[in-house]
Amino acid sequence: MSVRILALVGSLRAGSHNRQLAEAAVKLAPEGTEVEIYEGLADVPFYNEDLDAEGIVPEAAVRLREAAASADALLLFTPEYNGTIPAVLKNAIDWLSRPYGVGAIVGKRVAVTGTAAGQYGGVWAQDETRKAVGIAGGKVLEDVKLAVPGSMTRFAEIHPVDDAEVATALTEVVRTLADAPVAA
């Protein structure tokens, strides 16, 4: 049985190191596991309950919800913006959390990883992301962590897939997420 993991990247920057980390996860996924990077978070409007009504939900939000609903698990990659979660990732979680109690991520296995320029690799943003996605109904794998510090220098001349330490740790994150028990 194949496991489908949807990757959401909290940075829209073309050269994002978190995007590169997600690309590495795609390449390093163990056999029987598919990681797909979601394209289109920039198109999802800010969550507004007035827009979240039958027949008027923006198409970009519908596509996001459908992609998450059809995945077995989610893998979130977050940089740290001003000590917390980037707006684009928080917005995605907000759309996926609705309707309350039955949103597209309710009961889904979720792991949070990322890289940042600072010495702690974005752990504050990752902790905030785990909190938000857990409240939204995701089954957060609290012990599955990867925070890569110093992204600007570490990945200045090397892609994360070619960094042996990062590749090993990321492969383990993907494997653990794929093997985690499915919520009942």
Side-chain angles (χ1 to χ4, degrees), residues 3 5 25-35 170-172 174-176 178-179:
V3 176
I5 297 173
V26 170
K27 292 179 182 175
L28 297 168
E31 187 174 332
T33 303
E34 173 193 354
V35 177
L170 186 57
T171 299
E172 186 58 28
V174 174
R175 182 182 334 278
T176 303
D179 292 344

Short mmCIF file of all heavy atoms in Angstrom, two decimals, residues 3 5 25-35 170-172 174-176 178-179:
data_model
loop_
_atom_site.label_atom_id
_atom_site.label_comp_id
_atom_site.label_asym_id
_atom_site.label_seq_id
_atom_site.Cartn_x
_atom_site.Cartn_y
_atom_site.Cartn_z
N VAL A 3 1.74 5.23 0.48
CA VAL A 3 1.37 6.33 1.37
C VAL A 3 1.62 7.63 0.62
O VAL A 3 2.72 7.86 0.10
CB VAL A 3 2.20 6.28 2.68
CG1 VAL A 3 1.88 7.49 3.55
CG2 VAL A 3 1.93 5.00 3.43
N ILE A 5 1.94 11.62 0.89
CA ILE A 5 2.22 12.71 1.82
C ILE A 5 2.17 14.02 1.05
O ILE A 5 2.85 14.17 0.04
CB ILE A 5 3.59 12.52 2.50
CG1 ILE A 5 3.61 11.24 3.33
CG2 ILE A 5 3.93 13.74 3.36
CD1 ILE A 5 4.97 10.88 3.89
N ALA A 25 12.82 15.92 0.28
CA ALA A 25 11.89 14.90 0.80
C ALA A 25 11.25 14.11 -0.33
O ALA A 25 11.07 12.89 -0.22
CB ALA A 25 10.82 15.56 1.66
N VAL A 26 10.93 14.78 -1.43
CA VAL A 26 10.38 14.10 -2.60
C VAL A 26 11.36 13.05 -3.10
O VAL A 26 11.00 11.90 -3.36
CB VAL A 26 10.03 15.12 -3.72
CG1 VAL A 26 9.68 14.40 -5.02
CG2 VAL A 26 8.89 16.04 -3.28
N LYS A 27 12.62 13.44 -3.22
CA LYS A 27 13.64 12.54 -3.76
C LYS A 27 14.03 11.42 -2.80
O LYS A 27 14.40 10.34 -3.22
CB LYS A 27 14.90 13.34 -4.13
CG LYS A 27 14.69 14.27 -5.30
CD LYS A 27 15.94 15.07 -5.61
CE LYS A 27 15.68 16.04 -6.75
NZ LYS A 27 16.82 16.91 -7.00
N LEU A 28 13.94 11.69 -1.51
CA LEU A 28 14.40 10.73 -0.51
C LEU A 28 13.29 9.83 0.03
O LEU A 28 13.57 8.95 0.85
CB LEU A 28 15.05 11.49 0.66
CG LEU A 28 16.30 12.29 0.32
CD1 LEU A 28 16.66 13.23 1.47
CD2 LEU A 28 17.45 11.38 -0.04
N ALA A 29 12.08 10.03 -0.42
CA ALA A 29 10.96 9.24 0.10
C ALA A 29 11.23 7.76 -0.12
O ALA A 29 11.61 7.34 -1.22
CB ALA A 29 9.67 9.65 -0.58
N PRO A 30 11.05 6.96 0.92
CA PRO A 30 11.28 5.53 0.79
C PRO A 30 10.28 4.89 -0.18
O PRO A 30 9.21 5.45 -0.44
CB PRO A 30 11.11 4.98 2.20
CG PRO A 30 10.56 6.08 3.02
CD PRO A 30 10.65 7.35 2.25
N GLU A 31 10.62 3.72 -0.66
CA GLU A 31 9.74 3.00 -1.57
C GLU A 31 8.36 2.82 -0.93
O GLU A 31 8.26 2.53 0.27
CB GLU A 31 10.34 1.63 -1.90
CG GLU A 31 9.59 0.89 -2.97
CD GLU A 31 10.28 -0.38 -3.39
OE1 GLU A 31 11.51 -0.47 -3.28
OE2 GLU A 31 9.55 -1.29 -3.83
N GLY A 32 7.34 3.03 -1.72
CA GLY A 32 5.98 2.92 -1.21
C GLY A 32 5.45 4.21 -0.61
O GLY A 32 4.33 4.24 -0.11
N THR A 33 6.25 5.25 -0.67
CA THR A 33 5.85 6.55 -0.13
C THR A 33 6.05 7.61 -1.20
O THR A 33 7.11 7.69 -1.81
CB THR A 33 6.67 6.92 1.12
OG1 THR A 33 6.52 5.90 2.09
CG2 THR A 33 6.24 8.25 1.70
N GLU A 34 5.02 8.41 -1.41
CA GLU A 34 5.09 9.50 -2.38
C GLU A 34 4.91 10.81 -1.64
O GLU A 34 3.95 10.98 -0.91
CB GLU A 34 3.99 9.34 -3.43
CG GLU A 34 3.89 10.52 -4.37
CD GLU A 34 2.60 10.50 -5.19
OE1 GLU A 34 1.84 9.52 -5.11
OE2 GLU A 34 2.36 11.49 -5.89
N VAL A 35 5.86 11.73 -1.84
CA VAL A 35 5.74 13.08 -1.28
C VAL A 35 5.46 14.02 -2.44
O VAL A 35 6.21 14.05 -3.42
CB VAL A 35 7.02 13.50 -0.52
CG1 VAL A 35 6.89 14.94 -0.03
CG2 VAL A 35 7.32 12.56 0.62
N LEU A 170 16.09 13.72 7.23
CA LEU A 170 14.84 13.95 6.50
C LEU A 170 14.23 12.64 6.03
O LEU A 170 13.01 12.46 6.10
CB LEU A 170 15.10 14.88 5.31
CG LEU A 170 13.88 15.33 4.53
CD1 LEU A 170 12.86 16.03 5.44
CD2 LEU A 170 14.31 16.27 3.40
N THR A 171 15.06 11.71 5.61
CA THR A 171 14.56 10.39 5.22
C THR A 171 13.87 9.73 6.40
O THR A 171 12.79 9.12 6.25
CB THR A 171 15.72 9.50 4.71
OG1 THR A 171 16.31 10.13 3.57
CG2 THR A 171 15.23 8.11 4.33
N GLU A 172 14.43 9.85 7.58
CA GLU A 172 13.83 9.27 8.78
C GLU A 172 12.50 9.96 9.12
O GLU A 172 11.54 9.30 9.54
CB GLU A 172 14.79 9.34 9.96
CG GLU A 172 14.30 8.64 11.20
CD GLU A 172 13.99 7.16 10.99
OE1 GLU A 172 14.59 6.50 10.12
OE2 GLU A 172 13.09 6.65 11.71
N VAL A 174 10.40 11.34 6.97
CA VAL A 174 9.41 10.87 5.99
C VAL A 174 9.00 9.43 6.31
O VAL A 174 7.82 9.09 6.29
CB VAL A 174 9.93 11.01 4.55
CG1 VAL A 174 8.97 10.38 3.55
CG2 VAL A 174 10.18 12.47 4.20
N ARG A 175 9.96 8.59 6.62
CA ARG A 175 9.67 7.19 6.94
C ARG A 175 8.78 7.09 8.19
O ARG A 175 7.80 6.35 8.20
CB ARG A 175 10.96 6.41 7.16
CG ARG A 175 10.75 4.92 7.45
CD ARG A 175 12.04 4.15 7.71
NE ARG A 175 13.26 4.66 7.15
CZ ARG A 175 13.67 4.46 5.88
NH1 ARG A 175 12.93 3.74 5.07
NH2 ARG A 175 14.80 4.97 5.46
N THR A 176 9.10 7.83 9.22
CA THR A 176 8.32 7.80 10.45
C THR A 176 6.90 8.30 10.20
O THR A 176 5.93 7.70 10.70
CB THR A 176 9.02 8.62 11.56
OG1 THR A 176 10.32 8.11 11.75
CG2 THR A 176 8.24 8.57 12.86
N ALA A 178 5.26 8.25 7.35
CA ALA A 178 4.56 7.25 6.52
C ALA A 178 4.16 6.02 7.33
O ALA A 178 3.09 5.45 7.10
CB ALA A 178 5.47 6.83 5.36
N ASP A 179 4.98 5.64 8.29
CA ASP A 179 4.73 4.43 9.09
C ASP A 179 3.86 4.67 10.31
O ASP A 179 3.47 3.71 10.99
CB ASP A 179 6.06 3.79 9.54
CG ASP A 179 6.85 3.22 8.37
OD1 ASP A 179 6.28 3.04 7.28
OD2 ASP A 179 8.06 2.96 8.56
#
